[in-house]
Amino acid sequence: MEEPLKHLMQELGNAINDSLSESDRIAEAIGEIKRAGYDVFLVSEATIGFNRREASAEDEDEESEVAEEPKPRFEAAAEIKFTSQDHRFLRALKIAVDDENR
């Protein structure tokens, strides 16, 4: 995968994470659950797909030597950071996690 694309995807992941962690509404709901006597584990999953856009008509005039259209590519990647609570939870479910993700 191209480095600029990797960087953009990481930025998107960070933006989503920041939005969740800074949300007053989410913090309020979690606080209510904790006040009711429960521990809270929030797991969010996002599936993000992308493919390279085809050139517009103006771009095609400039790039008239292109012989073959590229096939669309779909890729997804994310960096996952597990907390110690995540590891305990996964172990309780008998799910092994690589130590490199710690």
Side-chain angles (χ1 to χ4, degrees), residues 4 8 14 26 30 33 39-40 69 79 82 89:
L8 292 171
N14 292 340
I26 291 174
I30 288 173
I33 294 169
D39 288 329
V40 179
E69 290 185 26
E79 183 177 324
F82 291 109
F89 176 73

Side-chain angles (χ1 to χ4, degrees), residues 8-44:
L8 292 171
M9 289 176 61
Q10 184 66 41
E11 286 298 313
L12 177 58
N14 292 340
I16 291 169
N17 190 30
D18 290 347
S19 295
L20 291 175
S21 63
E22 294 174 2
S23 169
D24 292 336
R25 191 170 175 192
I26 291 174
E28 193 174 310
I30 288 173
E32 289 178 29
I33 294 169
K34 285 183 177 181
R35 282 190 293 281
Y38 297 93
D39 288 329
V40 179
F41 300 95
L42 174 62
V43 178
S44 178

Side-chain angles (χ1 to χ4, degrees), residues 56-69:
S56 66
E58 292 174 3
D59 292 340
E60 287 177 11
D61 291 341
E62 294 173 8
E63 300 176 13
S64 59
E65 296 180 19
V66 175
E68 185 178 315
E69 290 185 26

